[in-house]
Amino acid sequence: MIQTFLQKLLMMDYRARYINVNKVNEHDKTQQRDTDTSEDIGDIFQAVSLYNKGKSQSDRIHPMDVQMAVFHCADGFLKQLMVTKLSQCQYALPLLVPDPFTQQIEFPLWTFRQINKSWKMRNTNNEIISQTQTVYKAETPMVSFFRFGSVSSSKSHLMKSLINEKHNTFFHRNCPGSSRTRVLMDGVVEIAWFCPSGKNTDKFADCVAFCNLHGDAGDHEKQLQILTEMASVNVVLLPGLQKNDRSAEKIQNLITITTPLICLFTEDESTLTKMKKGKFKIGLKDRNLSDVSEELRRAINDCLSESSSTFRLEDVSRHSDIRVDEEDDDDCRRGREAAQQMMTLLENKDLTEIKKSFLPHQGKLWHQWSQKNKELHRPQGDNIEMEKSGKKKEMKTIREQQHECDISAFMTHFNKKINSKTEHEKMFFLKWLRILLDEHTSADLSDLHHKYDEKWSAVLKLKENNEKPEQFKAEQTELERISEDLQAATFGLEHIMREISQIYESCSSVKKNKKDLQFHFSSLPSLAAEMMISGFPLELMDGDAAHVPLVWISAVLDALIQKLGDQRVFVLSVIGIQSSGKSTMLNAMFGLQFAVSAGRCTRGAFMQLVKVSDELKTQMNFDYILVVDTEGFHALELAGRSTRHHDNELATFVVGLGNLTLINIFGENLSEMQDVLQIVVQAFLRMKKVHLSPRCVFVHQNVSDVSSGEKNMEGRRRLQEALDEMTKLAAKEEVCDAECFSDVIRFDMENDVKYFAQLWEGSPPMAPPNPNYCENIQELKKTITFHASNSHGMMLTHLKDRIKDLWEALLNEQFVFSFRNSQKISDDRKLETKYIKWIWSLRSAMKETESKLHNQIENEEIDEVEEIDLQRELKKTSEDVKKSMPEFFEKDKDKDILIQWKTSFEIKINELQENIVKETMRKLKEVLQQREKRINDQRTHHENTLFEKSKELALKLKDIENDEETLKKKFDSFLEQCVKEIKSDTPPIKDIDIMRDVREILSDTYGCVSVDHWKESRDIFSVPSHSDYVTNAFRLADHFVNSSLSKDDEVQIRALVTDVAQHTEKEIHFNISKNGYNKCCIQELTGYIKARIVQHEEGPVKYVFKIEFFRDLVISIFKRAKMMITDQHKMFSKANDPVTIFNKKREEYYSIFQECCREATSAAIFGEIICQKLKEPIEQSVYKKSARGLADEMTTNCESLNGNRSKLEKHILKTLAEEKVFEKYMNYIKHPRDHFKSFIRDEVSRYITDKFSVSVLPKMKKNIELLQQKIMKAAHASTEHVQVNRGYVGLWLKSFTQHLSGELIFSEKDLRGVKHDDVDVKLLEDAIRDKLPAIISDISSGFTETFPVKLDYKERPDELLIDHFCRCCWVQCPFCKAVCTNTIENHSGDHSVPFHRVDGINGWHYRYTKALCAAFCTTVVTSDQSFIVSDVSFPYKEYRSAGGVYEKWSITPDHSELPYWKWFVCQFQKDLENHYEKKFQGRGEIPDEWKEHKQQDAIQSLDNLCVV
């Protein structure tokens, strides 16, 4: 019974009082007759009378007797804990307690020392004022309740309804388990406080104390005297008012004194009546309790408004004839006196300066040492070994300075007291010191918190309004100052122990005792170990310095082992967001006393020992639970200083330390769980190298619906999948073998996710704890016990080693924890990869449509194309893409994160679709404009004339058809004569000299190129600067002023050059391949270039171009395009040279000639001609389709081309590293787009060569077989069409070409001039079936790896892939030349790249020196260095302030750098230095560590580029 009561009370379960305990056995719970029958009860009155003989309430133990029995038997510490928990349960507390044997009244002041009350009230300006005070110091009105005689109404029930209608603050007769008899409550005075919430519904406007004297007041004169003397209002319950009552004199005295009095008459029916000033009466008989309560409240408020008297709990001790526990207990008294002596040293001291004055060892010096220690483990300088040596020397100096610091009088007193006390007295001393320190600092801390809240609100308001940036900055600075004051003013026992730890560490470092230390420093850890055994928490990680005092912690654990033996412990860690209830949960679960108030949130990490009971030891394998509590993530106290890095360090440390980690989450938000887990997963992975195998349990606190556990089954499943995916991503980064979350953490999603009810049952400050919360605590405790029973825990020696290994491993990390960044990069990669697939689907579908419509245009089947036609053709693919988008965003494992980009990607896809349609429209319109193909038409006419003449020759030579040799000679002679005639009618295609034409156009049209200037022209694509090409546009005395261009200007000009070059390249591709070379083409493109330059000058630029810029740009573009133009012109010439054409088709013509000689049917001859005419279109169609199919296949099967651009870049860099050719590197760095194109062409060529027999050739054969089937199907359909319509061969030919118009460029006009009037349609289909296989076979035999060269540039597979991968952002970082990874051209938002490069690669150097920069962008933007733009200096930290391209780049200061570029700089140091004519020296000296990277290391690091 006692154990149950205490267990529930310590867990803050207010049902601890609801005990139903009988004095006799449990089987008497239900009273029955001795003769239990099933007969009907005839007489109800007889039955009731019979059953009334059951057990009376006098046999039951009163629950309050249980409470008071525990109270009387407990020592001072348990009493204090018990009363503190009763207060948390919103119960009344024992104020005056008679000894059950001597009746000596005790005032247990000690038990109230740790109780605080918070409330809100309105001041005269109607502003809400928050107050938090210790109850023993709080000055409030006090209302005392007592009764005289025996009354029918329950005084306690009435008081309960007055204070809290929904909670039994005072135990009364109607409470569960109550009985008429009680042994230990008579004469007990209980006290409770009503705390207002600042709302209009509050029953009382201010905090009011209510005292309840149990029993007849006439029998307890001392208690009555104390209450009436101290009360602001007296309330007395009376059965009646008779002059001859034994209590009449006392009642008369109450009426005569000035203290307001309210008399409640149990036998009176009257309502509230004012008898005279300050004297009221209220009748209770037959009246509604609610009405009485309301009248009583009004009366009390009326009395309080007239009274100014206040009550202070401490003042009760001034009364004589009562025993005060603090004075009666010698240990408690001596402990208080010792603590008070120490507190006198703090009087009249500025709270924010106390720690600096009294605790010098833990201040600046300790923080400096901590920082140097981190720098030692994370070297940043050029010469690492020299830096390490320097750091160690600096750290030793700091320790010596620490050792030289004097120990303050405050600490001297502490050391003296703590070492001279008995165990019990020492406990009281430490408790008193904590209490008095809290009391000393609480008022100032409350004021500082109030100032902080006000300033924080002001900053938020300014931020939302986005106005007054200077004021916003000033307010932020002030907020920082208040935050610093808050940290400085926080002063508790943990800071005293931190000082002791630093005294110990400094002495250990210099290996000698301090001169003013009364004892040897080696005994200090023993003191801390004793405190841990006594239940005090020990600071494990300094929350201010974010550092573990490893030497001290190890020494304390050694001392603990000496005192307890090498015990086995189970480490339970707790992490979560700040103010999510971690400490409250631990306190309720284990009866601990971690700080839980808003003003004293946990900082750093603390560990506390909890001894395992003998009963639980049978289930577990250890003797103690070590609870590790931590500060919350994103702690407000760390505003301005806290970083995600700090949260990761803390999480990594405590997660790695724990056998089980409770991950505490406030609310039901799954995304918050993932947010916390992003930190946790990486922490687990990083600690895998020290072979940790922890478990974790998620605790969702403040869940409104207790059924959330069932409702979140689907959420649990999705969470599990998301965790598995995050684990894979993190495992790649951490180089760990982990495929799913359970590989890292043994985690049962079903049983290791707990849902907690809200802590309070109602609205604070008067709400009691929620009983469901207490039940949840018990369930969690069982889960912890279950996990513990399956764990081996660890020995204390192992714990010491683990802490050391863990912290050393954490210090050795050479990069910032960045899982959120990794997740963000991963999400971007996933979206980019999916987007790439979507746009490839749309472009592939449109390419098929374009090919079909192109054929129909060439065949003159259609004369115009409308956008609606293209949209209709694209509809199915578009619908498929739009259907897959919701599936991706709503069903993907990361959907909760990805969904935020759904709308923007839908817009992007719609815009892309519109652009694809418009671009295809443009191409098809150009095809329509170019359809008048004179050369081809003339070639067709010559070819058909040759067919007819060859027929005539065959008729003449039919008599010698068996003489093959003669026929062949005759035909060759005939063909040569025909070719001569055709050549004479066809103008020759001349050789070209492109650069001569360019020079003439520039000279004749623009007058800007003389012979000398021509020789002086430079390659504009490779010039280091464009300053020589411009003149500044601002004028001084009507003269232009020359000066160098800014970096931003350089980037703008380079972007113009690149854009113009890309456009002209596209135009050259189309025009030359279709129409051959013409000087007019150069004229048009030169005009375009000139127009673009003028347009650029008219924009917001501060310069104008010299004529040399236009000249060199034109010359450079055409020099670059010269080879391509020449190749295309040669292809065009070859394709249209009659001699070449007819020689190529000699065998085809001869075959037809032979048919004629054999007097074959006209159908056979016409069929042969059709098949020969189909040969070239079939070949082109197969090649085009195969090219598209090959490109599609490569986006899936080719390792370098089956992902996004980042993956492609990885393979480019890998290839460059393997080839080790500096010139290729510089081409990639300076001209990335061109290099990408070249690489894709090489990859396609290599793929075709490698996969030709297994993939490419089968694809081509399949395509030609399908086309053969379509041709025969078209022939058959045409034959049926003629038969149905009774037509002739003309109708057949029309139908046949129409069926194939979308597949081949083949129309009726291709057979103009070929006579076919006498062709038997019935035989034509068979003739084609007979002749076509030979044509197909002949084409197939020509399938080789070089088939793409037979296609136009735009139809080739490499060009299709170039078009696909290179339609993206190509803007380069102004510092290091890294290319923006956004897949959208002209995208909105900032440019960004996951990994930047060494700035020296781009030629950045230190001003006025020859020293190249050896730093990464992500490093320099965190530094205090500056860079120069147009002779203006800008801090790297504020690089965006430089404007232009700088402000459009997002460079995250996360130290994300690839070893690849370190290796590159070392590998090509001399080449870079020669290229830029500068050196990596001085400030730009290459760190030695870079030289350790090997080629393989560099290549392996590229995996980070394409984490998906």
Side-chain angles (χ1 to χ4, degrees), residues 600-625:
R600 292 297 303 275
C601 284
T602 308
R603 291 296 310 277
F606 287 81
M607 58 182 180
Q608 185 166 351
L609 273 179
V610 179
K611 188 172 177 59
V612 176
S613 66
D614 293 336
E615 180 185 351
L616 282 177
K617 277 185 183 178
T618 60
Q619 304 176 37
M620 302 179 183
N621 301 316
F622 43 83
D623 306 287
Y624 289 89
I625 294 176

Side-chain angles (χ1 to χ4, degrees), residues 1390-1408:
D1390 290 335
H1391 301 293
S1392 64
V1393 61
F1395 297 97
H1396 285 262
R1397 306 168 186 167
V1398 179
D1399 291 353
I1401 292 173
N1402 189 28
W1404 278 81
H1405 60 281
Y1406 294 97
R1407 200 178 195 190
Y1408 307 126

Side-chain angles (χ1 to χ4, degrees), residues 90-93 117 142-143 159 163 169-170 190-194 208-212 766:
Q90 296 293 353
Y91 278 141
L93 313 176
K117 290 290 182 182
M142 189 267 276
V143 181
M159 293 184 72
I163 295 177
T169 305
F170 292 92
E190 290 186 301
I191 187 170
W193 285 264
F194 173 82
V208 181
F210 288 85
C211 289
N212 182 12
M766 292 303 294

Side-chain angles (χ1 to χ4, degrees), residues 627-646:
V627 181
V628 180
D629 189 20
T630 63
E631 72 181 49
F633 297 150
H634 320 307
L636 284 177
E637 292 92 336
L638 297 174
R641 294 184 298 278
S642 177
T643 61
R644 188 172 182 81
H645 175 74
H646 174 72

Side-chain angles (χ1 to χ4, degrees), residues 205-220:
D206 201 349
C207 181
V208 181
F210 288 85
C211 289
N212 182 12
L213 171 58
H214 290 274
D216 190 336
D219 298 333
H220 308 289

Side-chain angles (χ1 to χ4, degrees), residues 75 102 176 280 355 375 560 579 595 616 1032 1102 1175 1177 1185 1222 1289 1448 1467:
D75 66 3
T102 66
F280 297 85
K355 282 196 287 190
E375 291 173 3
L560 199 61
S579 300
L616 282 177
N1032 279 9
K1102 298 178 181 179
K1175 183 176 181 181
K1185 198 170 188 66
F1222 178 72
V1289 68
K1448 295 175 184 176
Q1467 179 70 31

Side-chain angles (χ1 to χ4, degrees), residues 922-923 926 930 992 994-995 998 1001 1021 1057-1089 1113-1132 1237 1241 1351-1356 1359:
R922 180 186 63 80
K923 290 179 181 178
E926 288 178 351
Q930 300 293 333
I992 59 173
I994 298 160
M995 299 316 297
V998 169
I1001 289 169
F1021 296 109
V1057 170
T1058 302
D1059 191 51
V1060 170
Q1062 289 171 8
H1063 178 81
T1064 52
E1065 183 181 323
K1066 286 181 182 178
E1067 291 298 317
I1068 289 168
H1069 269 166
F1070 185 82
N1071 291 324
I1072 308 297
S1073 63
K1074 285 293 177 186
N1075 305 317
Y1077 174 78
N1078 191 302
K1079 189 176 179 180
C1080 293
C1081 175
I1082 304 296
Q1083 184 83 48
E1084 290 174 7
L1085 291 176
T1086 305
Y1088 165 78
I1089 294 169
L1113 179 57
V1114 171
I1115 293 171
S1116 298
I1117 285 174
F1118 285 107
K1119 275 186 177 179
R1120 179 189 270 192
K1122 178 182 177 183
M1123 184 63 69
M1124 180 177 63
I1125 295 173
T1126 304
D1127 289 345
Q1128 290 212 29
H1129 182 70
K1130 285 180 179 177
M1131 286 176 61
F1132 176 83
K1237 289 181 178 181
R1241 290 185 182 112
L1351 290 168
D1352 287 341
Y1353 259 81
K1354 65 175 184 176
E1355 304 288 354
R1356 296 177 182 179
E1359 294 302 320

